[in-house]
Amino acid sequence: MEQEVKVIKGRVVVKIPASTANLGPGFDCLGMALSLYAWVSMSASEETRITLVGDNLNGVPLDKSNLVYEVAQAVFHKAGIEQTELDISIRSDIPLTRGLGSSAAAIVGALVAANTLIGNKLTEDELFQMATELEKHPDNVGASLFGGIIVAAWDGARAEYVRMDPPAGMDILVAIPEFELSTKKARNVLPEHISLSDAVFNVSHSSLLTAALATGQLDLLRHAMRDRLHQPYRAALIPGMNTILEEATDHGALGAVLSGAGPTLLLLAETETSCKGKLAAFVTEVMAKEGITVTTRWLMPCLHGPQVIFMNQDHPDYKLELHQILPASEAGVVE
């Protein structure tokens, strides 16, 4: 008879990277982890309490409908245990509904935190399959779970992936508009059918992009990151997007794409380029002409997945609030 698994009497804090999905033509199959983070703290409790830290979580539920709580319960259920009451704290420097994988980070953080509390009963593959089923595509969750660049496929029953390190010498500019754009709304504008020529265009460019990233041929990105599957249809939702995607390489970018479902725009550039200020100014000016304020930030690819700290009940930081545990340098908001 299998031994019963019980929740560990301790507290876990998980740091999870943000992600960008698609990278242009790799719709629902290419993702990359970014150096922007969320944190989930979790412990067993006599009564459920959910605490939100920071300014990026407005509207997130404080009851048992909270995504982190629900995902944790799914882990416990799969492991065959019952732990209905949890003390959860969440901090996210990843803005919600902006195309930077905030929901994927929450899902991955909840999976890893809950699994840690039960002694890592579930395998990494089981967590990946659960994350993909919850998110309905493997690119964001794969990037947040494994770090680096993820090439993945999901047939509705099982997801497979290949992870690779991003090429050296590549930085990332994210331009985050002040407005939100839900994934559902961004998907609703996509056509149910596309032409054979557009399908061939995306297959060829997605293949070229994957090969360019794998071999570090950054000069190919301006050609490989073009898309006909989703970006042309979503452009109407994001004024200024077409101009930025078409002209970014003239201002020093290696390539420019819509990050995930948007509205964040993502531009790749060589780390040593002298055009970073010029590139950020170009994006800001284009969006300003459309009456849209954007926050720009330079990020790097993140090479790691979740980082876990486990504290026993006698640990000196066990009873501290999440914002007291995080170093000030890691609790900063997007600037």
Side-chain angles (χ1 to χ4, degrees), residues 79-224:
I81 69 168
E82 183 177 350
Q83 177 61 52
T84 58
E85 306 302 327
L86 294 170
D87 189 345
I88 296 171
S89 294
I90 308 166
R91 179 183 179 93
S92 182
D93 290 352
I94 309 168
L96 301 181
T97 58
R98 294 298 205 282
L100 290 170
S102 58
S103 65
I107 288 170
V108 169
L111 288 170
V112 171
N115 196 41
T116 301
L117 286 179
I118 60 172
N120 293 310
K121 174 70 173 178
L122 304 186
T123 66
E124 194 173 65
D125 180 71
E126 287 177 308
L127 297 183
F128 178 50
Q129 301 305 324
M130 291 179 70
T132 301
E133 176 63 34
L134 288 163
E135 186 74 350
K136 302 304 180 186
H137 44 89
D139 43 8
N140 282 120
V141 292
S144 285
L145 187 58
F146 303 116
I149 293 174
I150 295 296
V151 186
W154 184 51
D155 61 6
R158 178 169 175 80
E160 303 290 353
Y161 76 95
V162 173
R163 182 206 176 276
M164 57 187 183
D165 282 339
M170 185 179 72
D171 285 355
I172 302 151
L173 175 67
V174 290
I176 308 169
E178 60 183 3
F179 64 91
E180 297 182 359
L181 179 59
S182 70
T183 300
K184 181 178 179 181
K185 182 177 181 180
R187 283 186 179 266
N188 283 343
V189 301
L190 302 183
E192 292 186 6
H193 304 282
I194 61 170
S195 67
L196 177 61
S197 62
D198 284 351
V200 172
F201 183 95
N202 262 67
V203 169
S204 61
H205 283 75
S206 179
S207 300
L208 180 64
L209 175 58
T210 303
L213 292 171
T215 59
Q217 297 184 65
L218 300 181
D219 58 309
L220 291 177
L221 297 185
R222 64 187 301 155
H223 307 290

Side-chain angles (χ1 to χ4, degrees), residues 1-71:
M1 183 175 180
E2 185 176 353
Q3 185 178 2
E4 182 183 4
V5 180
K6 295 183 179 180
V7 173
I8 296 171
K9 292 183 178 180
R11 178 185 183 187
V12 61
V13 177
V14 183
K15 176 182 176 182
I16 317 102
S19 59
T20 184
N22 305 328
L23 295 175
F27 186 64
D28 279 0
C29 63
L30 288 179
M32 179 168 59
L34 304 175
S35 61
L36 188 65
Y37 303 97
W39 294 262
V40 171
S41 169
M42 187 181 296
S43 61
S45 176
E46 295 183 357
E47 183 179 0
T48 291
R49 181 184 72 144
I50 297 175
T51 304
L52 307 179
V53 181
D55 300 325
N56 285 324
L57 295 169
N58 293 335
V60 172
L62 294 172
D63 57 20
K64 291 182 178 180
S65 66
N66 183 282
L67 177 62
V68 170
Y69 176 88
E70 291 183 337
V71 174

